[in-house]
Each structure stands twice: as structure tokens, then as C-alpha cells.
């Protein structure tokens, strides 16, 4: 892969063009950022571990009838993916309170939601990725009403599949973020990644955090948490 094939470099991934105009290669980086890029660092082996974790989870979802952009894992740190036109929103599903919902609404960390709680955020670092309501989504024409309902349905279905998968591996799926896009045929497809960068994972018995919160909050043992999550995800 040479530089002229580089389509886009984000905070955690590089997107490369491939010979197939309908496919891109997503290379996962060791770089880590938090707080809209204000905190920067590196997490050793994160690229390889997140690529593997994401590939396994996307395959699990495919097996359960969810369309994802994953085509194949082509290098240790690189996934071949269907090209999508991404929606400008992030979808967060929360099973337990943590992170921004505690700051915004005063939930105690770890409080169980009565039912999975879904939130949309606008993808715009310059605005700090603000929460957007259905009314905001309509006013800004971010996603059509039908697509928004379908995205909500898919996100909750994904939550059910992943929550069970992680519970079987001694992990609480506290919350996670998804990004969806549209493929060339107009289907809504899951894109981006699912990894300890984009989820909160707590060990079910000790409640130890096994995700990027260890980096965000300087809790130490960051690499070990990613290594442990890869091990759990690889458990049959
Ligand atoms: P939050 O509590 O900060 O709103 O985060 C909710 C979930 O979304 C958490 O699992 C981390 C993930 N997330 C991302 O993947 N990217 C982001 O930019 C942010 C802010 C959160
Ligand atoms: N990835 C986001 C950033 O760099 C935030 C986060 O994951 O906390 O700002």
C-alpha cells in the first residue's frame, strides 16, 4: 500500500483504496486519542488486537443476520471492507450507566438501565460530537426518519447479540458506539469497528474495566486490558 492509495487518515484508522472501487482497506493504528483528540497517546499492539476483535465480532453479527462492511481480514492490522457512504451520526447503546451519561444526567456509574438506552451523537469533533435528538436529526436532515428507525432496530438487535456473546465470556457489555452507512445498493450496513476503543467492557465478577477508559482515565494496565479482551473474544 503506497501513499497515493491513502484515502483518509483518522485518529485510530487509515483507509486505503484497493483495486476494487467498491472496497477499501481499513488499517487499525496503535494511536489512541480521547476527548475529541485533546488527549493523545499510543497503546502498544492496539491496531492488531482491535482489527482481530472487530473482525471476530463483525463475523458473529453476520452469522446472526446483520449486514456488516467486513469482507476479509487481509493483514494482522487491516480489514478489507465494503465501501459505504457513512451517516454523520454515532449510535450509542447503554446497558449500564458510564461515561458521558453520568456527567450529563447524574446517573451513578454502573446503574443498570431499565431497558437498553439508545442515543445519537453528531459526528463533528469541532462541536465536541454533541448528543442529537430525533428532532435535531430531522431538522439537520442527518438521517431520514425511516433510516433512523431501521438504525435503531439494528443497534438494539446488535446489543442483544453482543450482550449474550460477552456474558458467556465473563464480560459485561456496559455500552458501545456504532456507525452505519449505506452500500451502493442502498442497504443500511454496519461499518467502522467494534473494539475496546468503542465499547465499555467490565469483567463480570471483578468489575475491572477492560477498555479504553483505562487510557482515558489513566488507570494503568492499558495494553493488558486489550490483550485480555482479545483472549475473551477468541474463546469459543
Ligand atoms: P460516552 O459515555 O463518552 O458517551 O461513550 C459511550 C460509548 O461510546 C463508550 O463505549 C465509548 C464510545 N465512544 C466512541 O467509540 N467514540 C467516541 O468518540 C466517544 C465519545 C465514545
Ligand atoms: N475517540 C474520541 C476522540 O479521540 C473520543 C473517545 O473515544 O473518548 O476524541
Amino acid at each position: 500500500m503506497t501513499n497515493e492509495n491513502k484515502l483518509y487518515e483518522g485518529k485510530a484508522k487509515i483507509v486505503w483504496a484497493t483495486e476494487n472501487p467498491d472496497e477499501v482497506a481499513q488499517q487499525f493504528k496503535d494511536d489512541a486519542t480521547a476527548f475529541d483528540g485533546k488527549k493523545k497517546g499510543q497503546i502498544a499492539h492496539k491496531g492488531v488486537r482491535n482489527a482481530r476483535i472487530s473482525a471476530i465480532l463483525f463475523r458473529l453479527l453476520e452469522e446472526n443476520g446483520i449486514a456488516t462492511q467486513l469482507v476479509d481480514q487481509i493483514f494482522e492490522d487491516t480489514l478489507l471492507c465494503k465501501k459505504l457512504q457513512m451517516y454523520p451520526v454515532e449510535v450509542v447503546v447503554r446497558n449500564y450507566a458510564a461515561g458521558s451519561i453520568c456527567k450529563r444526567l447524574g446517573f451513578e456509574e454502573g446503574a443498570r438501565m431499565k431497558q437498553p438506552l439508545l442515543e445519537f451523537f453528531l459526528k463533528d469533533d469541532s462541536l465536541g460530537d454533541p448528543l442529537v435528538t430525533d428532532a435535531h436529526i430531522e431538522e439537520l436532515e442527518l438521517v431520514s426518519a425511516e433510516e433512523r428507525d431501521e438504525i435503531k432496530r439494528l443497534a438494539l438487535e446488535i446489543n442483544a447479540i453482543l450482550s449474550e456473546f460477552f456474558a458467556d465470556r465473563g464480560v459485561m457489555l456496559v455500552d458501545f458506539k456504532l456507525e452505519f452507512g449505506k452500500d451502493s445498493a442502498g442497504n443500511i450496513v454496519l461499518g467502522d469497528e467494534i473494539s475496546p476503543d468503542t465499547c465499555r467492557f467490565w469483567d463480570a465478577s471483578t468489575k475491572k474495566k477492560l477498555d479504553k477508559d483505562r487510557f482515558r482515565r489513566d488507570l494503568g494496565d492499558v495494553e493488558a486490558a486489550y490483550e485480555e479482551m482479545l483472549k475473551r473474544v477468541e474463546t469459543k
Side-chain angles (χ1 to χ4, degrees):
M1 290 186 280
T2 60
N3 261 334
E4 68 225 55
N5 294 334
K6 195 192 267 192
L7 294 176
Y8 171 78
E9 179 155 2
K11 288 178 286 188
K13 290 192 285 301
I14 304 173
V15 182
W16 302 92
T18 67
E19 291 106 78
N20 183 337
D22 285 331
E23 291 177 356
V24 292
Q26 298 213 47
Q27 183 180 10
F28 288 64
K29 304 198 288 186
D30 288 350
D31 296 347
T33 65
F35 314 117
D36 299 320
K38 286 182 213 79
K39 180 182 171 94
K40 288 193 175 71
Q42 290 244 316
I43 301 174
H45 314 294
K46 176 168 83 76
V48 168
R49 288 175 180 150
N50 277 3
R52 189 80 207 118
I53 291 170
S54 207
I56 293 170
L57 296 177
F58 274 39
R59 274 193 200 124
L60 168 78
L61 294 172
E62 288 277 354
E63 284 161 15
N64 284 277
I66 305 284
T68 79
Q69 76 173 154
L70 178 67
V71 177
D72 197 10
Q73 178 158 12
I74 49 173
F75 298 109
E76 264 196 312
D77 63 351
T78 305
L79 306 184
L80 185 63
C81 296
K82 214 190 258 190
K83 199 187 265 181
L84 300 179
Q85 212 179 332
M86 299 303 290
Y87 296 106
V89 292
E90 299 186 341
V91 189
V92 169
V93 180
R94 302 180 191 270
N95 297 306
Y96 299 87
S100 71
I101 201 167
C102 296
K103 292 208 190 87
R104 265 184 287 124
L105 299 173
F107 279 99
E108 202 166 313
E109 189 179 68
R112 184 145 179 63
M113 298 292 136
K114 292 194 188 75
Q115 53 189 20
L117 191 140
L118 193 146
E119 296 173 331
F120 284 99
F121 293 87
L122 176 66
K123 264 176 78 79
D124 188 333
D125 271 352
S126 69
L127 296 174
D129 288 355
L131 179 105
V132 282
T133 65
D134 284 359
H136 295 141
I137 291 175
E138 272 167 43
E139 179 60 35
L140 293 167
E141 296 182 7
L142 303 174
V143 186
S144 76
E146 302 77 61
E147 288 169 323
R148 190 187 63 216
D149 288 348
E150 177 64 3
I151 287 173
K152 285 184 186 174
R153 192 188 65 74
L154 287 168
L156 294 174
E157 204 178 317
I158 290 168
N159 182 47
I161 298 164
L162 294 182
S163 292
E164 188 189 337
F165 177 84
F166 284 110
D168 288 346
R169 286 157 184 78
V171 173
M172 284 165 64
L173 179 58
V174 173
D175 62 27
F176 59 96
K177 184 265 302 179
L178 301 173
E179 296 186 29
F180 292 88
K182 217 192 284 198
D183 69 10
S184 48
N187 303 305
I188 298 177
V189 177
L190 178 67
D192 199 50
E193 67 179 281
I194 303 178
S195 73
D197 274 12
T198 63
C199 303
R200 287 195 172 93
F201 298 123
W202 294 356
D203 180 274
S205 40
T206 65
K207 305 288 183 287
K208 182 173 178 180
K209 294 177 173 44
L210 295 172
D211 57 59
K212 193 174 157 188
D213 267 352
R214 304 205 71 82
F215 167 80
R216 293 189 189 98
R217 295 161 66 171
D218 296 319
L219 300 176
D221 289 343
V222 184
E223 282 84 8
Y226 283 72
E227 185 182 18
E228 178 63 25
M229 280 313 301
L230 174 57
K231 215 169 81 191
R232 304 265 184 124
V233 165
E234 282 179 330
T235 305
K236 295 284 178 215

PDB file of all heavy atoms in Angstrom, residues 11 33-37 197 212 216, ligand 2:
ATOM      1  N   LYS A  11      -8.244   9.209  13.460  1.00  0.00           N
ATOM      2  CA  LYS A  11      -7.495   9.167  14.714  1.00  0.00           C
ATOM      3  C   LYS A  11      -7.022   7.754  15.030  1.00  0.00           C
ATOM      4  O   LYS A  11      -5.947   7.578  15.591  1.00  0.00           O
ATOM      5  CB  LYS A  11      -8.369   9.714  15.858  1.00  0.00           C
ATOM      6  CG  LYS A  11      -8.530  11.241  15.743  1.00  0.00           C
ATOM      7  CD  LYS A  11      -9.431  11.796  16.816  1.00  0.00           C
ATOM      8  CE  LYS A  11     -10.871  11.466  16.520  1.00  0.00           C
ATOM      9  NZ  LYS A  11     -11.839  12.123  17.406  1.00  0.00           N
ATOM     10  N   THR A  33      -6.648   8.388  20.993  1.00  0.00           N
ATOM     11  CA  THR A  33      -6.997   9.751  21.395  1.00  0.00           C
ATOM     12  C   THR A  33      -8.233   9.684  22.277  1.00  0.00           C
ATOM     13  O   THR A  33      -8.964   8.696  22.272  1.00  0.00           O
ATOM     14  CB  THR A  33      -7.319  10.659  20.184  1.00  0.00           C
ATOM     15  OG1 THR A  33      -8.502  10.160  19.544  1.00  0.00           O
ATOM     16  CG2 THR A  33      -6.181  10.707  19.181  1.00  0.00           C
ATOM     17  N   ALA A  34      -8.450  10.736  23.013  1.00  0.00           N
ATOM     18  CA  ALA A  34      -9.677  10.850  23.817  1.00  0.00           C
ATOM     19  C   ALA A  34     -10.043  12.320  23.910  1.00  0.00           C
ATOM     20  O   ALA A  34      -9.222  13.185  23.593  1.00  0.00           O
ATOM     21  CB  ALA A  34      -9.465  10.265  25.205  1.00  0.00           C
ATOM     22  N   PHE A  35     -11.279  12.563  24.323  1.00  0.00           N
ATOM     23  CA  PHE A  35     -11.767  13.937  24.498  1.00  0.00           C
ATOM     24  C   PHE A  35     -11.593  14.745  23.201  1.00  0.00           C
ATOM     25  O   PHE A  35     -10.935  15.776  23.175  1.00  0.00           O
ATOM     26  CB  PHE A  35     -11.076  14.599  25.701  1.00  0.00           C
ATOM     27  CG  PHE A  35     -11.031  13.709  26.913  1.00  0.00           C
ATOM     28  CD1 PHE A  35      -9.818  13.268  27.452  1.00  0.00           C
ATOM     29  CD2 PHE A  35     -12.212  13.251  27.487  1.00  0.00           C
ATOM     30  CE1 PHE A  35      -9.784  12.403  28.546  1.00  0.00           C
ATOM     31  CE2 PHE A  35     -12.194  12.391  28.588  1.00  0.00           C
ATOM     32  CZ  PHE A  35     -10.973  11.969  29.122  1.00  0.00           C
ATOM     33  N   ASP A  36     -12.176  14.210  22.122  1.00  0.00           N
ATOM     34  CA  ASP A  36     -12.131  14.842  20.794  1.00  0.00           C
ATOM     35  C   ASP A  36     -10.698  15.152  20.364  1.00  0.00           C
ATOM     36  O   ASP A  36     -10.423  16.203  19.794  1.00  0.00           O
ATOM     37  CB  ASP A  36     -12.986  16.117  20.766  1.00  0.00           C
ATOM     38  CG  ASP A  36     -14.441  15.800  21.066  1.00  0.00           C
ATOM     39  OD1 ASP A  36     -14.937  14.770  20.569  1.00  0.00           O
ATOM     40  OD2 ASP A  36     -15.069  16.572  21.811  1.00  0.00           O
ATOM     41  N   GLY A  37      -9.813  14.233  20.626  1.00  0.00           N
ATOM     42  CA  GLY A  37      -8.436  14.358  20.153  1.00  0.00           C
ATOM     43  C   GLY A  37      -7.541  15.198  21.045  1.00  0.00           C
ATOM     44  O   GLY A  37      -6.347  15.357  20.760  1.00  0.00           O
ATOM     45  N   ASP A 197     -11.836   0.171  21.971  1.00  0.00           N
ATOM     46  CA  ASP A 197     -11.852   1.633  21.744  1.00  0.00           C
ATOM     47  C   ASP A 197     -13.273   2.172  21.723  1.00  0.00           C
ATOM     48  O   ASP A 197     -13.494   3.352  22.012  1.00  0.00           O
ATOM     49  CB  ASP A 197     -11.226   1.977  20.379  1.00  0.00           C
ATOM     50  CG  ASP A 197      -9.714   2.128  20.430  1.00  0.00           C
ATOM     51  OD1 ASP A 197      -9.116   1.744  21.452  1.00  0.00           O
ATOM     52  OD2 ASP A 197      -9.141   2.623  19.442  1.00  0.00           O
ATOM     53  N   LYS A 212     -10.960   1.175  26.706  1.00  0.00           N
ATOM     54  CA  LYS A 212     -10.220   2.434  26.543  1.00  0.00           C
ATOM     55  C   LYS A 212     -10.366   3.399  27.712  1.00  0.00           C
ATOM     56  O   LYS A 212      -9.585   4.346  27.826  1.00  0.00           O
ATOM     57  CB  LYS A 212     -10.677   3.101  25.228  1.00  0.00           C
ATOM     58  CG  LYS A 212      -9.802   4.244  24.758  1.00  0.00           C
ATOM     59  CD  LYS A 212     -10.264   4.730  23.395  1.00  0.00           C
ATOM     60  CE  LYS A 212      -9.854   6.135  23.116  1.00  0.00           C
ATOM     61  NZ  LYS A 212     -10.484   6.625  21.867  1.00  0.00           N
ATOM     62  N   ARG A 216      -8.294   6.664  28.805  1.00  0.00           N
ATOM     63  CA  ARG A 216      -8.931   7.972  29.029  1.00  0.00           C
ATOM     64  C   ARG A 216      -8.665   8.482  30.445  1.00  0.00           C
ATOM     65  O   ARG A 216      -8.414   9.652  30.652  1.00  0.00           O
ATOM     66  CB  ARG A 216     -10.450   7.873  28.844  1.00  0.00           C
ATOM     67  CG  ARG A 216     -10.917   7.593  27.431  1.00  0.00           C
ATOM     68  CD  ARG A 216     -12.451   7.738  27.307  1.00  0.00           C
ATOM     69  NE  ARG A 216     -12.912   7.256  26.016  1.00  0.00           N
ATOM     70  CZ  ARG A 216     -13.432   6.037  25.813  1.00  0.00           C
ATOM     71  NH1 ARG A 216     -13.588   5.195  26.812  1.00  0.00           N
ATOM     72  NH2 ARG A 216     -13.811   5.675  24.601  1.00  0.00           N
TER      73      ARG A 216
HETATM   74  N1  LIG B   2     -12.189   8.774  20.090  1.00  0.00           N
HETATM   75  C1  LIG B   2     -12.614  10.005  20.599  1.00  0.00           C
HETATM   76  C2  LIG B   2     -11.554  11.087  20.487  1.00  0.00           C
HETATM   77  O1  LIG B   2     -10.442  10.947  20.169  1.00  0.00           O
HETATM   78  C3  LIG B   2     -13.133  10.027  21.999  1.00  0.00           C
HETATM   79  C4  LIG B   2     -13.078   8.836  22.893  1.00  0.00           C
HETATM   80  O2  LIG B   2     -13.064   7.697  22.454  1.00  0.00           O
HETATM   81  O3  LIG B   2     -13.083   9.077  24.106  1.00  0.00           O
HETATM   82  O4  LIG B   2     -11.824  12.183  20.768  1.00  0.00           O
END
